Amino acid sequence: MSEGAARLIRGGRVVDPSQGIDGTFDVLIEDGKVVRIEERIEAPDGAEITDAEGLVVTPGLIDIHIHLREPGFEYKETVGTGVVSAAAGGFTAVACMANTAPVNDSRSVTEHILLEADRHPYARVYPIGAVSKGMAGEELAEIGEMASAGAVAFSDDGLPVMSSSLMRRAFQYAQHYDVPVIQHAEDLDLTGPGVMHEGEWSTRLGLPGIPGAAEDVMVARDLLLAEDTGGRYHVAHMSTGRALELVRLFRARGVNATCEVSPHHLLLTDQAVSDYGFATCTKMKPPLRAKADVEALIAGVVDGTVDCIASDHAPHHHDEKDVQFSAAPFGIVGLETTVSLLLDRLVHAGIIDLSRLIELLSTGPARVLGLEGGTLTPGSTADITLLALDREVTVDPGSFRSKGTSTPFSGWNLRGVAVGTMLAGVPVRLP
Amino acid sequence: MNETLRWTRKDLLGIAPLDAPEIELILDTAESFLEVAERPIKKVPTLRGKGVINLFFEPSTRTRSSFELAEKRLSADSMNVSASTSALVKGESLLDTATNLQAMSPDLIIIRHQHPGVPHMLAKRLEAGVINAGDGAHEHPTQALLDALTIRRNKGRIKGLRVAIIGDIEHSRVVRSNIQLLNKLGAEVTIAGPRSMMPAAAHALGATVSYDLDEALEGRDVVMMLRTQLERHKRSLVPSVREYFKLFGLTHARLARAADDVIVMHPGPMNRGTEIASDVADGPASVILEQVANGVAVRMAVLYLLSTAATGAAPTAAGQSDKEPHAGDGAHRGES
């Protein structure tokens, strides 16, 4: 679509939780913006038509927790392969973590990531800057410089901010730029040599455990500090029922706290490590937790405590993951499995409705990070995802556009898939 | 010896996959190999022409020499590869090391590794049969089998016995294999140790859990002490050897609570004065050296049974050791 041209998305089921819309409508787009959503819109002269009959039209999906690995680990993923993977999975925007080499702790690295993103315009990229210089956990990184270059949030993800005083300063200082501090909540002292959830299955398998308390004490500490400072706190990849309970409690006390969960923490338990025979596709941080945690997280997804779902897409090279369990790096890919997993296991399974899922994948994440998007209100940028609710797919890592292939969902038959995305009203064509 | 059951597994990765008849088949086979150690020439041709690699990534004297002796007594061609001499120190991956060894066409590979699951990972990739000689705190199946043989030879049975296993439960592969084996053969197991040495979900192991040595010893037929490596734990699990010995050290006086004919076992190597007093270790109830002798026979049995599954042939065991092994019916190939 050329500048100024119009596009009409015709006959789709439009689901936009930001406006409480769920019904069959036409969507008119001009100059890259949504103009109006009505039951029947005549196509303006020269408008391009997208026939969306049988499809779902939603505000573009946003994954606020992924690892693009560039700069430094281009053998695992690049900005280019990562955004293509995102688009293939139905996402129009992603936020990428700072644990690159060098760490994204300066304006120049943030700008480099955005420059690479401009060269690969398949999905929008929002860099997340490091909280601390070099992610060393000692001194604050130049949060203001990075924020002015385009960083939307700050996190040492991959590592927690262990120091309580540094976390407190980060909460204080980040308020100057109205950005959240995202915590990878893990007390490393409690984790020790742990490689999986500490519980029944670590006991049986003899693998060193990571107790749920490693997450809980960190979330509790951070919530207290956020309460004292008025800071904006976001818990990354929350995995325990107790951490969720803490967020609920402190939110009721007025603390500005949000949280995300990852699909694997909703769909698998620690038993998978045994069921998959020590396969390293079951090794990630935080680890797959106990059944009670999974049930609590799902309850949080249903009742609204959970603000968004993010994949924690963490690609590694095949050679790195194809080793013994204890030696493998933590992390699995997720950009190309999230949508189908959640449509099948949450929506078709009757746990949440489609509108709630779109809230978790679009409106929610946009709100958490203060991004544009997450809505199809007139005047908003027409970033759009198209879903085929009943199309059946089989997860095949061989067909992933990501460089990473490690996933515990290989071979799963799922109903529902993202079939396309648009950025500012222009359909994204994958290379 | 059980005539109706044949061994069909390619690997021995743990006690978990085995059923009671398979365990009994190994024990019965081991009984028949015990006699070899009493011959003037302690060697049978059962595994002549078979290649066995002992791949040890963790220091081990007892288990490795026991396997080595078992291999030699069966006339296998065996070779040792240890982590200190292997290419792993040159940065080669574990999988590459293993596939390179596989390229030399061994029949069996014995693996000891400090991390759980390593033998399982390699067994999926290698044609050779894999025997787990201890993977981290996960399993140590031949230890549990030799313990069972020792119990059976002393008590005449395993079913219905009351067994206590004492010590650092969390870090012990011996306890995990033993509980499963003893449960499968109908014994009743209690585990005891300091709370800081218990795994997070000790009940999931399938034993009664106690935190009191005297309670755990009460009326037991068998007491197994575990090796306590206080010095190796980076994180302090108990404050000192002195306190540990007071809480959980087995002394003659405390052993009096057990059954009159109790036997005391230890997988070795022992720390005298830490988990066990010398008067118990060297006392009349101790069967610790018998365990060592039985270990060789059990490993001979496992090597023999796995080699029959790996080749589909069924060479004879020790009974006809003076004859050539004959070809079995090829129908019993390993499937696992």
Side-chain angles (χ1 to χ4, degrees):
Chain A
M1 184 170 75
S2 57
E3 192 69 22
R7 175 173 297 274
L8 185 66
I9 303 175
R10 182 170 273 169
R13 174 180 167 193
V14 178
V15 177
D16 180 4
S18 75
Q19 308 179 70
I21 293 177
D22 183 351
T24 303
F25 295 101
D26 292 350
V27 180
L28 181 64
I29 299 162
E30 281 175 4
D31 296 329
K33 310 273 187 199
V34 176
V35 176
R36 58 183 201 271
I37 300 176
E38 286 167 11
E39 277 186 21
R40 179 77 191 153
I41 301 175
E42 282 304 316
D45 282 348
E48 297 192 50
I49 310 283
T50 298
D51 180 5
E53 209 170 313
L55 300 179
V56 171
V57 181
T58 75
L61 307 184
I62 302 168
D63 190 337
I64 63 167
H65 189 147
I66 74 158
H67 297 267
L68 286 175
R69 305 297 191 204
E70 188 174 358
F73 304 105
E74 290 82 357
Y75 70 98
K76 295 178 194 252
E77 193 83 288
T78 64
V79 171
T81 57
V83 292
V84 169
S85 173
F91 293 92
T92 56
V94 291
C96 58
M97 288 297 175
N99 57 343
T100 48
V103 165
N104 182 17
D105 62 356
S106 67
R107 168 184 283 276
S108 61
V109 178
T110 301
E111 286 176 346
H112 172 76
I113 293 167
L114 289 170
L115 201 65
E116 280 302 306
D118 284 345
R119 294 178 54 213
H120 302 278
Y122 302 104
R124 297 181 200 281
V125 174
Y126 296 105
I128 292 171
V131 170
S132 66
K133 285 182 184 149
M135 284 176 56
E138 287 162 11
E139 304 169 68
L140 281 182
E142 286 185 306
I143 285 173
E145 282 294 297
M146 287 185 278
S148 65
V152 296
F154 293 85
S155 179
D156 279 358
D157 180 73
L159 292 173
V161 176
M162 279 290 284
S163 158
S164 302
S165 63
L166 180 69
M167 192 64 182
R168 191 167 69 148
R169 277 200 300 279
F171 277 139
Q172 292 165 337
Y173 191 75
Q175 290 176 68
H176 287 293
Y177 303 94
D178 192 23
V179 286
V181 179
I182 302 175
Q183 176 72 297
H184 166 118
E186 176 190 13
D187 183 327
L188 294 174
D189 285 342
L190 285 170
T191 294
V195 294
M196 72 173 290
H197 174 63
E198 181 185 274
E200 179 181 345
W201 291 96
S202 68
T203 295
R204 288 180 193 231
L205 297 175
L207 284 167
I210 303 173
E215 179 164 320
D216 307 337
V217 298
M218 218 52 175
V219 170
R221 180 202 76 175
D222 292 344
L223 287 164
L224 290 164
L225 296 174
E227 184 168 49
D228 285 353
T229 56
R232 248 172 93 187
Y233 181 48
H234 178 71
V235 187
H237 45 49
M238 177 168 280
S239 70
T240 71
R242 272 204 305 197
L244 190 75
E245 199 58 54
L246 287 163
V247 167
R248 234 181 235 128
L249 179 72
F250 276 78
R251 221 183 240 169
R253 290 163 64 108
V255 173
N256 193 346
T258 53
C259 63
E260 82 199 16
V261 297
S262 302
H264 45 276
H265 290 129
L266 297 173
L267 303 177
L268 293 170
T269 68
D270 55 343
Q271 189 179 336
V273 180
S274 176
D275 289 350
Y276 286 62
F278 295 94
T280 60
C281 65
T282 60
K283 184 177 178 185
M284 71 291 286
K285 263 189 182 177
L288 298 172
R289 296 287 186 188
K291 192 156 171 274
D293 291 309
V294 170
E295 285 165 0
L297 294 182
I298 287 186
V301 162
V302 172
D303 73 17
T305 311
V306 172
D307 294 278
C308 62
I309 296 178
S311 69
D312 192 12
H313 177 83
H316 292 290
H317 193 276
H318 176 74
D319 289 343
E320 295 172 312
K321 282 297 259 187
D322 192 21
V323 296
Q324 62 271 33
F325 194 85
S326 298
F330 294 92
I332 57 169
V333 294
L335 282 169
E336 292 167 75
T337 51
T338 294
V339 170
S340 292
L341 286 168
L342 300 178
L343 283 173
D344 187 89
R345 299 302 164 111
L346 295 185
V347 176
H348 289 312
I351 293 167
I352 55 173
D353 63 20
L354 184 58
S355 181
R356 173 65 179 146
L357 181 64
I358 302 310
E359 190 176 17
L360 289 160
L361 288 177
S362 181
T363 314
R367 188 183 61 239
V368 166
L369 293 191
L371 308 176
E372 75 162 339
T375 182
L376 298 176
T377 46
S380 57
T381 299
D383 286 359
I384 285 169
T385 297
L386 300 172
L387 307 173
L389 280 192
D390 291 312
R391 189 173 302 175
E392 297 195 356
V393 292
T394 301
V395 177
D396 171 20
S399 71
F400 286 171
R401 303 300 297 261
S402 168
K403 287 190 179 184
T405 54
S406 184
T407 171
F409 302 114
S410 179
W412 284 34
N413 296 311
L414 302 169
R415 186 153 66 97
V417 65
V419 292
T421 58
M422 294 182 189
L423 292 177
V426 182
V428 171
R429 295 192 203 292
L430 297 181
Chain B
M1 188 157 153
N2 190 329
E3 292 295 337
T4 55
L5 185 74
R6 289 216 191 226
W7 189 262
T8 56
R9 294 178 189 276
K10 167 183 162 283
D11 312 299
L12 178 67
L13 299 176
I15 298 299
L18 304 183
D19 58 23
E22 287 175 300
I23 292 166
E24 278 162 358
L25 174 63
I26 297 172
L27 298 182
D28 293 344
T29 310
E31 294 264 8
S32 72
F33 278 121
L34 273 172
E35 170 265 332
V36 174
E38 277 147 35
R39 299 181 188 183
I41 294 171
K42 302 176 174 58
K43 206 174 181 74
V44 292
T46 314
L47 292 193
R48 201 167 61 189
K50 300 277 184 189
V52 182
I53 295 174
N54 300 308
L55 181 56
F56 277 62
F57 295 96
E58 198 183 52
S60 157
T61 307
R62 189 163 316 229
T63 302
R64 187 162 82 175
S65 46
S66 181
F67 267 109
E68 238 185 289
L69 200 56
E71 290 150 13
K72 287 181 163 55
R73 286 191 177 162
L74 291 172
S75 308
D77 297 318
S78 67
M79 179 176 94
N80 292 325
V81 179
S82 63
S84 56
T85 58
S86 79
L88 281 139
V89 294
K90 300 173 194 161
E92 188 180 51
S93 82
L94 175 64
L95 197 58
D96 282 338
T97 299
T99 50
N100 275 277
L101 292 173
Q102 176 65 59
M104 301 178 202
S105 307
D107 297 281
L108 293 168
I109 299 183
I110 321 298
I111 296 169
R112 154 75 60 98
H113 199 281
Q114 56 271 34
H115 292 312
V118 168
H120 307 69
M121 178 186 82
L122 296 184
K124 279 183 211 157
R125 311 293 186 91
L126 302 181
E127 273 176 57
V130 171
I131 297 173
N132 180 359
D135 62 326
H138 182 219
E139 282 241 39
H140 193 355
T142 55
Q143 178 70 43
L145 288 160
L146 75 88
D147 290 340
L149 183 63
T150 307
I151 295 170
R152 206 172 75 166
R153 289 178 60 80
N154 277 276
K155 298 286 179 190
R157 66 191 167 105
I158 287 176
K159 194 177 174 64
L161 290 179
R162 302 182 70 201
V163 182
I165 308 177
I166 315 288
D168 181 355
I169 304 297
E170 180 169 12
H171 300 94
S172 174
R173 50 186 165 228
V174 174
V175 78
R176 286 176 176 78
S177 288
N178 258 303
I179 291 173
Q180 296 185 72
L181 187 152
L182 292 167
N183 280 339
K184 285 174 184 190
L185 295 192
E188 185 192 314
V189 185
T190 297
I191 52 177
R195 287 178 187 272
S196 52
M197 289 179 163
M198 275 289 174
H203 63 274
L205 292 176
T208 305
V209 181
S210 170
Y211 301 103
D212 182 296
L213 178 61
D214 294 326
E215 176 189 82
L217 291 175
E218 195 68 50
R220 298 300 135 171
D221 303 301
V222 177
V223 175
M224 281 185 199
M225 302 307 292
L226 300 173
R227 173 169 166 78
T228 306
Q229 292 165 294
L230 297 177
E231 76 289 351
R232 270 182 56 176
H233 291 304
K234 288 187 196 110
R235 296 182 296 167
S236 171
L237 299 174
V238 293
S240 67
V241 168
R242 186 169 60 171
E243 283 199 15
Y244 183 83
F245 189 69
K246 271 191 189 164
L247 265 178
F248 283 95
L250 186 65
T251 60
H252 193 68
R254 299 183 89 168
L255 188 60
R257 289 177 175 269
D260 291 341
D261 60 347
V262 66
I263 57 170
V264 173
M265 306 172 69
H266 193 299
M270 278 185 286
N271 296 302
R272 292 167 184 261
T274 301
E275 69 261 4
I276 189 165
S278 281
D279 60 352
V280 177
D282 304 328
S286 169
V287 295
I288 294 169
L289 294 177
E290 258 182 72
Q291 287 174 267
V292 178
N294 290 339
V296 178
V298 156
R299 288 168 181 128
M300 288 171 78
V302 168
L303 289 163
Y304 160 70
L305 289 170
L306 257 65
S307 70
T308 64
T311 59
T316 54
Q320 292 86 35
S321 58
D322 51 339
K323 296 176 196 152
E324 283 291 311
H326 61 78
D329 64 15
H332 301 282
R333 290 189 64 88
E335 287 165 359
S336 62

